Amino acid sequence: MLDIRDDLKLIAEMVEPNSRVLDVGCGDGALLDYLSHAKNVDGRGIELSMDGVRQCVAHGLSVIQGDAEADLKDYPAEAFDYVILGQTLQAMKQPRDVLEMMCRIGRRAIVSVPNFGYWRVRLQLMLTGRMPVTEKLGYQWWETPNIHFCTLRDFVVLTEEMGITIEQTRIIDRAGRVASRAHSGFANLLGEQGVFLLRRNGG
């Protein structure tokens, strides 16, 4: 079983055993591999990189090459119990549309995002006057795939505007610890990343 990141471990905790799962932008398939072994899920993946697809297939995972922003619209409503997007929303050209499609084709959606409101990011920008580079935001501005940075508060406001309910929230600090007060005013300042379990209102 492949080792997985801290945010992926929290995502895995939110997934019920024996569920139907679609992992969007699944990379090397680490999360799908983990879920198939630990939760016995019926897992599928979509990955833009052919290198990623080859790694997934080499581990026996059911993954296709595709562009989520173009291809998710072709999936029927509620085709999966969970649609997962880990640390990728900020790299989408139209993140709101992707979130809308995820909540349509999944009974639940799980999203993890890096927090541009994290105190180290704010401090680095204030002291240097340059775009921050951190462990979770590890690119220079001219090479980054991240085109829509947001804070955790930004993400929460977007879900409210879209009529999406946040059922669970996990805020992770730099050491990988989960904040005890996910909804406190300090979460947006002290959390390096957030993980959200979402449901369309009325779903």
Short mmCIF file of all heavy atoms in Angstrom, two decimals, residues 52-102:
data_model
loop_
_atom_site.label_atom_id
_atom_site.label_comp_id
_atom_site.label_asym_id
_atom_site.label_seq_id
_atom_site.Cartn_x
_atom_site.Cartn_y
_atom_site.Cartn_z
N GLY A 52 1.23 9.90 -14.67
CA GLY A 52 0.41 9.53 -13.53
C GLY A 52 -0.49 8.34 -13.84
O GLY A 52 -0.63 7.42 -13.02
N VAL A 53 -1.11 8.36 -15.01
CA VAL A 53 -1.98 7.25 -15.41
C VAL A 53 -1.19 5.95 -15.45
O VAL A 53 -1.65 4.90 -14.96
CB VAL A 53 -2.62 7.54 -16.78
CG1 VAL A 53 -3.39 6.31 -17.28
CG2 VAL A 53 -3.55 8.74 -16.69
N ARG A 54 0.02 5.98 -16.01
CA ARG A 54 0.84 4.77 -16.09
C ARG A 54 1.19 4.25 -14.70
O ARG A 54 1.17 3.03 -14.48
CB ARG A 54 2.09 5.05 -16.91
CG ARG A 54 1.86 5.04 -18.42
CD ARG A 54 3.16 5.08 -19.20
NE ARG A 54 3.79 6.39 -19.17
CZ ARG A 54 3.61 7.33 -20.09
NH1 ARG A 54 2.81 7.09 -21.11
NH2 ARG A 54 4.21 8.50 -20.00
N GLN A 55 1.51 5.14 -13.79
CA GLN A 55 1.81 4.71 -12.42
C GLN A 55 0.59 4.06 -11.77
O GLN A 55 0.71 3.04 -11.08
CB GLN A 55 2.26 5.91 -11.58
CG GLN A 55 3.63 6.46 -11.95
CD GLN A 55 4.01 7.62 -11.06
OE1 GLN A 55 4.23 7.48 -9.86
NE2 GLN A 55 4.07 8.82 -11.64
N CYS A 56 -0.58 4.64 -11.99
CA CYS A 56 -1.81 4.08 -11.43
C CYS A 56 -2.09 2.69 -11.99
O CYS A 56 -2.39 1.74 -11.24
CB CYS A 56 -2.99 5.00 -11.73
SG CYS A 56 -2.96 6.58 -10.86
N VAL A 57 -1.99 2.57 -13.30
CA VAL A 57 -2.26 1.28 -13.94
C VAL A 57 -1.26 0.23 -13.48
O VAL A 57 -1.61 -0.94 -13.27
CB VAL A 57 -2.23 1.44 -15.48
CG1 VAL A 57 -2.31 0.08 -16.16
CG2 VAL A 57 -3.38 2.34 -15.93
N ALA A 58 -0.01 0.64 -13.25
CA ALA A 58 1.01 -0.29 -12.77
C ALA A 58 0.67 -0.84 -11.39
O ALA A 58 1.11 -1.94 -11.02
CB ALA A 58 2.38 0.41 -12.72
N HIS A 59 -0.13 -0.07 -10.61
CA HIS A 59 -0.57 -0.54 -9.29
C HIS A 59 -1.94 -1.21 -9.35
O HIS A 59 -2.57 -1.47 -8.32
CB HIS A 59 -0.61 0.64 -8.31
CG HIS A 59 0.74 1.11 -7.88
ND1 HIS A 59 1.34 2.23 -8.42
CD2 HIS A 59 1.62 0.60 -6.98
CE1 HIS A 59 2.51 2.41 -7.86
NE2 HIS A 59 2.72 1.44 -6.99
N GLY A 60 -2.43 -1.46 -10.56
CA GLY A 60 -3.69 -2.17 -10.72
C GLY A 60 -4.92 -1.33 -10.49
O GLY A 60 -6.00 -1.86 -10.22
N LEU A 61 -4.78 0.01 -10.62
CA LEU A 61 -5.90 0.91 -10.37
C LEU A 61 -6.64 1.24 -11.66
O LEU A 61 -6.05 1.27 -12.74
CB LEU A 61 -5.39 2.19 -9.71
CG LEU A 61 -4.64 2.00 -8.39
CD1 LEU A 61 -4.01 3.32 -7.94
CD2 LEU A 61 -5.58 1.45 -7.31
N SER A 62 -7.93 1.51 -11.53
CA SER A 62 -8.77 1.84 -12.68
C SER A 62 -8.77 3.36 -12.89
O SER A 62 -9.56 4.09 -12.28
CB SER A 62 -10.20 1.35 -12.46
OG SER A 62 -11.03 1.68 -13.54
N VAL A 63 -7.87 3.83 -13.73
CA VAL A 63 -7.68 5.26 -13.94
C VAL A 63 -7.61 5.54 -15.44
O VAL A 63 -6.99 4.79 -16.19
CB VAL A 63 -6.38 5.75 -13.27
CG1 VAL A 63 -6.08 7.20 -13.62
CG2 VAL A 63 -6.50 5.60 -11.75
N ILE A 64 -8.27 6.62 -15.84
CA ILE A 64 -8.23 7.03 -17.25
C ILE A 64 -7.55 8.38 -17.37
O ILE A 64 -7.51 9.16 -16.41
CB ILE A 64 -9.65 7.10 -17.86
CG1 ILE A 64 -10.50 8.14 -17.13
CG2 ILE A 64 -10.31 5.74 -17.86
CD1 ILE A 64 -11.82 8.43 -17.82
N GLN A 65 -7.01 8.65 -18.56
CA GLN A 65 -6.41 9.95 -18.83
C GLN A 65 -7.53 10.89 -19.26
O GLN A 65 -8.37 10.56 -20.10
CB GLN A 65 -5.36 9.82 -19.93
CG GLN A 65 -4.45 11.03 -20.07
CD GLN A 65 -5.02 12.15 -20.92
OE1 GLN A 65 -5.84 11.89 -21.78
NE2 GLN A 65 -4.58 13.37 -20.67
N GLY A 66 -7.55 12.09 -18.66
CA GLY A 66 -8.59 13.04 -19.03
C GLY A 66 -8.41 14.36 -18.33
O GLY A 66 -7.66 14.48 -17.36
N ASP A 67 -9.12 15.34 -18.83
CA ASP A 67 -9.14 16.70 -18.28
C ASP A 67 -10.44 16.86 -17.51
O ASP A 67 -11.52 16.87 -18.10
CB ASP A 67 -9.04 17.72 -19.42
CG ASP A 67 -9.03 19.16 -18.92
OD1 ASP A 67 -9.32 19.40 -17.74
OD2 ASP A 67 -8.74 20.06 -19.73
N ALA A 68 -10.34 17.00 -16.20
CA ALA A 68 -11.53 17.06 -15.36
C ALA A 68 -12.47 18.18 -15.77
O ALA A 68 -13.69 18.01 -15.78
CB ALA A 68 -11.12 17.22 -13.90
N GLU A 69 -11.90 19.33 -16.15
CA GLU A 69 -12.75 20.48 -16.48
C GLU A 69 -13.58 20.22 -17.74
O GLU A 69 -14.66 20.78 -17.90
CB GLU A 69 -11.90 21.73 -16.65
CG GLU A 69 -11.21 22.12 -15.35
CD GLU A 69 -10.66 23.53 -15.37
OE1 GLU A 69 -11.42 24.49 -15.20
OE2 GLU A 69 -9.44 23.67 -15.56
N ALA A 70 -13.10 19.35 -18.61
CA ALA A 70 -13.83 19.03 -19.83
C ALA A 70 -14.66 17.76 -19.69
O ALA A 70 -15.73 17.64 -20.29
CB ALA A 70 -12.85 18.86 -20.99
N ASP A 71 -14.20 16.82 -18.86
CA ASP A 71 -14.78 15.47 -18.87
C ASP A 71 -15.80 15.20 -17.77
O ASP A 71 -16.64 14.31 -17.92
CB ASP A 71 -13.66 14.42 -18.77
CG ASP A 71 -12.73 14.46 -19.97
OD1 ASP A 71 -13.15 14.97 -21.03
OD2 ASP A 71 -11.57 14.03 -19.84
N LEU A 72 -15.76 15.94 -16.66
CA LEU A 72 -16.68 15.65 -15.56
C LEU A 72 -18.14 15.85 -15.96
O LEU A 72 -19.03 15.19 -15.42
CB LEU A 72 -16.36 16.52 -14.34
CG LEU A 72 -15.10 16.17 -13.56
CD1 LEU A 72 -14.94 17.10 -12.36
CD2 LEU A 72 -15.11 14.71 -13.09
N LYS A 73 -18.39 16.73 -16.91
CA LYS A 73 -19.77 17.00 -17.33
C LYS A 73 -20.41 15.77 -17.97
O LYS A 73 -21.66 15.69 -18.05
CB LYS A 73 -19.80 18.17 -18.31
CG LYS A 73 -19.16 17.90 -19.65
CD LYS A 73 -19.25 19.12 -20.56
CE LYS A 73 -18.71 18.84 -21.96
NZ LYS A 73 -17.29 18.43 -21.97
N ASP A 74 -19.61 14.80 -18.41
CA ASP A 74 -20.14 13.63 -19.09
C ASP A 74 -20.59 12.53 -18.12
O ASP A 74 -21.23 11.56 -18.54
CB ASP A 74 -19.09 13.05 -20.04
CG ASP A 74 -18.73 14.02 -21.17
OD1 ASP A 74 -19.62 14.76 -21.60
OD2 ASP A 74 -17.56 14.02 -21.60
N TYR A 75 -20.28 12.69 -16.84
CA TYR A 75 -20.69 11.69 -15.86
C TYR A 75 -22.14 11.93 -15.44
O TYR A 75 -22.56 13.08 -15.28
CB TYR A 75 -19.79 11.75 -14.62
CG TYR A 75 -18.40 11.19 -14.82
CD1 TYR A 75 -17.38 11.99 -15.33
CD2 TYR A 75 -18.11 9.88 -14.49
CE1 TYR A 75 -16.09 11.49 -15.51
CE2 TYR A 75 -16.83 9.37 -14.66
CZ TYR A 75 -15.83 10.17 -15.17
OH TYR A 75 -14.56 9.68 -15.34
N PRO A 76 -22.92 10.86 -15.24
CA PRO A 76 -24.31 11.05 -14.79
C PRO A 76 -24.39 11.51 -13.34
O PRO A 76 -23.43 11.35 -12.57
CB PRO A 76 -24.91 9.64 -14.95
CG PRO A 76 -23.74 8.71 -14.88
CD PRO A 76 -22.58 9.45 -15.48
N ALA A 77 -25.51 12.08 -12.96
CA ALA A 77 -25.72 12.56 -11.60
C ALA A 77 -25.65 11.41 -10.60
O ALA A 77 -26.15 10.30 -10.87
CB ALA A 77 -27.06 13.27 -11.49
N GLU A 78 -25.01 11.68 -9.47
CA GLU A 78 -24.88 10.72 -8.36
C GLU A 78 -24.33 9.37 -8.82
O GLU A 78 -24.76 8.31 -8.36
CB GLU A 78 -26.22 10.55 -7.64
CG GLU A 78 -26.71 11.84 -6.99
CD GLU A 78 -27.87 11.64 -6.05
OE1 GLU A 78 -28.32 10.49 -5.88
OE2 GLU A 78 -28.33 12.65 -5.48
N ALA A 79 -23.37 9.42 -9.72
CA ALA A 79 -22.72 8.19 -10.19
C ALA A 79 -21.79 7.61 -9.12
O ALA A 79 -21.44 6.43 -9.18
CB ALA A 79 -21.94 8.46 -11.47
N PHE A 80 -21.38 8.45 -8.15
CA PHE A 80 -20.45 8.03 -7.11
C PHE A 80 -20.96 8.49 -5.74
O PHE A 80 -21.73 9.44 -5.64
CB PHE A 80 -19.06 8.63 -7.36
CG PHE A 80 -18.43 8.21 -8.65
CD1 PHE A 80 -18.61 8.97 -9.81
CD2 PHE A 80 -17.69 7.04 -8.73
CE1 PHE A 80 -18.06 8.58 -11.01
CE2 PHE A 80 -17.13 6.64 -9.93
CZ PHE A 80 -17.31 7.41 -11.07
N ASP A 81 -20.50 7.77 -4.73
CA ASP A 81 -20.79 8.20 -3.35
C ASP A 81 -19.92 9.39 -2.97
O ASP A 81 -20.38 10.29 -2.26
CB ASP A 81 -20.55 7.04 -2.38
CG ASP A 81 -21.49 5.88 -2.64
OD1 ASP A 81 -22.72 6.11 -2.70
OD2 ASP A 81 -21.00 4.74 -2.79
N TYR A 82 -18.65 9.37 -3.43
CA TYR A 82 -17.71 10.45 -3.12
C TYR A 82 -16.93 10.81 -4.38
O TYR A 82 -16.43 9.94 -5.09
CB TYR A 82 -16.71 10.03 -2.04
CG TYR A 82 -17.33 9.67 -0.72
CD1 TYR A 82 -17.67 8.35 -0.43
CD2 TYR A 82 -17.55 10.64 0.26
CE1 TYR A 82 -18.23 8.01 0.79
CE2 TYR A 82 -18.12 10.31 1.48
CZ TYR A 82 -18.46 8.99 1.74
OH TYR A 82 -19.00 8.65 2.94
N VAL A 83 -16.81 12.11 -4.62
CA VAL A 83 -15.90 12.62 -5.64
C VAL A 83 -14.86 13.45 -4.92
O VAL A 83 -15.19 14.37 -4.15
CB VAL A 83 -16.64 13.47 -6.69
CG1 VAL A 83 -15.65 13.98 -7.74
CG2 VAL A 83 -17.74 12.66 -7.36
N ILE A 84 -13.59 13.12 -5.13
CA ILE A 84 -12.50 13.68 -4.34
C ILE A 84 -11.59 14.53 -5.21
O ILE A 84 -11.26 14.15 -6.34
CB ILE A 84 -11.70 12.54 -3.68
CG1 ILE A 84 -12.57 11.75 -2.71
CG2 ILE A 84 -10.46 13.08 -2.98
CD1 ILE A 84 -11.94 10.46 -2.20
N LEU A 85 -11.19 15.67 -4.67
CA LEU A 85 -10.22 16.54 -5.35
C LEU A 85 -9.22 17.02 -4.30
O LEU A 85 -9.53 17.83 -3.44
CB LEU A 85 -10.94 17.74 -5.99
CG LEU A 85 -10.11 18.64 -6.89
CD1 LEU A 85 -9.66 17.90 -8.15
CD2 LEU A 85 -10.89 19.88 -7.28
N GLY A 86 -8.00 16.49 -4.36
CA GLY A 86 -6.99 16.78 -3.36
C GLY A 86 -5.92 17.75 -3.85
O GLY A 86 -5.16 17.42 -4.75
N GLN A 87 -5.91 18.96 -3.26
CA GLN A 87 -4.86 19.95 -3.55
C GLN A 87 -4.78 20.31 -5.03
O GLN A 87 -3.69 20.54 -5.56
CB GLN A 87 -3.49 19.42 -3.07
CG GLN A 87 -3.41 19.17 -1.58
CD GLN A 87 -3.33 20.45 -0.76
OE1 GLN A 87 -2.70 21.41 -1.16
NE2 GLN A 87 -3.98 20.45 0.38
N THR A 88 -5.92 20.35 -5.71
CA THR A 88 -5.91 20.60 -7.15
C THR A 88 -6.88 21.71 -7.55
O THR A 88 -6.74 22.28 -8.64
CB THR A 88 -6.28 19.31 -7.92
OG1 THR A 88 -5.43 18.24 -7.47
CG2 THR A 88 -6.08 19.47 -9.41
N LEU A 89 -7.84 22.05 -6.72
CA LEU A 89 -8.87 23.03 -7.10
C LEU A 89 -8.25 24.35 -7.54
O LEU A 89 -8.71 24.98 -8.51
CB LEU A 89 -9.84 23.27 -5.94
CG LEU A 89 -11.07 24.11 -6.27
CD1 LEU A 89 -11.98 23.40 -7.26
CD2 LEU A 89 -11.84 24.46 -4.99
N GLN A 90 -7.20 24.77 -6.84
CA GLN A 90 -6.58 26.07 -7.15
C GLN A 90 -5.86 26.08 -8.50
O GLN A 90 -5.49 27.13 -9.00
CB GLN A 90 -5.60 26.47 -6.03
CG GLN A 90 -4.32 25.67 -5.97
CD GLN A 90 -4.48 24.31 -5.29
OE1 GLN A 90 -5.55 23.98 -4.78
NE2 GLN A 90 -3.40 23.53 -5.26
N ALA A 91 -5.66 24.90 -9.09
CA ALA A 91 -5.00 24.82 -10.39
C ALA A 91 -6.01 24.76 -11.54
O ALA A 91 -5.61 24.76 -12.71
CB ALA A 91 -4.10 23.59 -10.45
N MET A 92 -7.29 24.73 -11.21
CA MET A 92 -8.33 24.66 -12.25
C MET A 92 -8.59 26.05 -12.83
O MET A 92 -8.56 27.05 -12.13
CB MET A 92 -9.63 24.09 -11.64
CG MET A 92 -9.51 22.68 -11.13
SD MET A 92 -9.26 21.50 -12.48
CE MET A 92 -9.17 19.96 -11.55
N LYS A 93 -8.91 26.08 -14.13
CA LYS A 93 -9.24 27.36 -14.77
C LYS A 93 -10.57 27.89 -14.27
O LYS A 93 -10.75 29.10 -14.12
CB LYS A 93 -9.27 27.17 -16.29
CG LYS A 93 -7.94 26.83 -16.91
CD LYS A 93 -8.08 26.60 -18.41
CE LYS A 93 -6.74 26.21 -19.03
NZ LYS A 93 -6.88 25.89 -20.48
N GLN A 94 -11.51 26.98 -14.02
CA GLN A 94 -12.85 27.37 -13.55
C GLN A 94 -13.20 26.55 -12.31
O GLN A 94 -13.98 25.60 -12.37
CB GLN A 94 -13.89 27.14 -14.66
CG GLN A 94 -13.66 27.93 -15.92
CD GLN A 94 -13.85 29.43 -15.70
OE1 GLN A 94 -14.56 29.86 -14.80
NE2 GLN A 94 -13.20 30.24 -16.54
N PRO A 95 -12.61 26.89 -11.16
CA PRO A 95 -12.81 26.06 -9.96
C PRO A 95 -14.27 25.97 -9.52
O PRO A 95 -14.70 24.92 -9.02
CB PRO A 95 -11.94 26.76 -8.90
CG PRO A 95 -11.65 28.11 -9.43
CD PRO A 95 -11.68 28.00 -10.91
N ARG A 96 -15.02 27.04 -9.68
CA ARG A 96 -16.44 26.99 -9.28
C ARG A 96 -17.19 25.95 -10.12
O ARG A 96 -18.01 25.19 -9.58
CB ARG A 96 -17.08 28.37 -9.42
CG ARG A 96 -18.54 28.39 -9.02
CD ARG A 96 -19.14 29.78 -9.12
NE ARG A 96 -20.56 29.72 -8.77
CZ ARG A 96 -21.17 30.56 -7.94
NH1 ARG A 96 -20.48 31.52 -7.35
NH2 ARG A 96 -22.46 30.45 -7.69
N ASP A 97 -16.94 25.93 -11.42
CA ASP A 97 -17.61 24.95 -12.29
C ASP A 97 -17.23 23.52 -11.91
O ASP A 97 -18.08 22.62 -11.92
CB ASP A 97 -17.25 25.20 -13.75
CG ASP A 97 -17.83 26.51 -14.29
OD1 ASP A 97 -18.69 27.11 -13.60
OD2 ASP A 97 -17.41 26.94 -15.38
N VAL A 98 -15.96 23.31 -11.59
CA VAL A 98 -15.50 21.97 -11.19
C VAL A 98 -16.20 21.54 -9.90
O VAL A 98 -16.66 20.40 -9.78
CB VAL A 98 -13.98 21.95 -11.01
CG1 VAL A 98 -13.51 20.64 -10.38
CG2 VAL A 98 -13.28 22.16 -12.35
N LEU A 99 -16.31 22.45 -8.95
CA LEU A 99 -16.99 22.14 -7.69
C LEU A 99 -18.46 21.81 -7.94
O LEU A 99 -19.01 20.88 -7.33
CB LEU A 99 -16.85 23.33 -6.75
CG LEU A 99 -17.04 23.10 -5.26
CD1 LEU A 99 -16.10 22.01 -4.75
CD2 LEU A 99 -16.83 24.40 -4.49
N GLU A 100 -19.07 22.56 -8.83
CA GLU A 100 -20.48 22.30 -9.19
C GLU A 100 -20.63 20.90 -9.77
O GLU A 100 -21.56 20.15 -9.40
CB GLU A 100 -20.93 23.35 -10.21
CG GLU A 100 -22.39 23.24 -10.62
CD GLU A 100 -23.33 23.86 -9.61
OE1 GLU A 100 -23.02 24.94 -9.09
OE2 GLU A 100 -24.36 23.22 -9.35
N MET A 101 -19.75 20.52 -10.68
CA MET A 101 -19.83 19.20 -11.30
C MET A 101 -19.56 18.09 -10.29
O MET A 101 -20.21 17.04 -10.33
CB MET A 101 -18.87 19.11 -12.48
CG MET A 101 -19.29 19.93 -13.69
SD MET A 101 -18.23 19.71 -15.16
CE MET A 101 -16.77 20.66 -14.69
N MET A 102 -18.62 18.30 -9.38
CA MET A 102 -18.33 17.30 -8.36
C MET A 102 -19.54 17.01 -7.50
O MET A 102 -19.85 15.86 -7.18
CB MET A 102 -17.16 17.77 -7.49
CG MET A 102 -15.82 17.78 -8.18
SD MET A 102 -14.52 18.46 -7.10
CE MET A 102 -14.51 17.24 -5.76
#
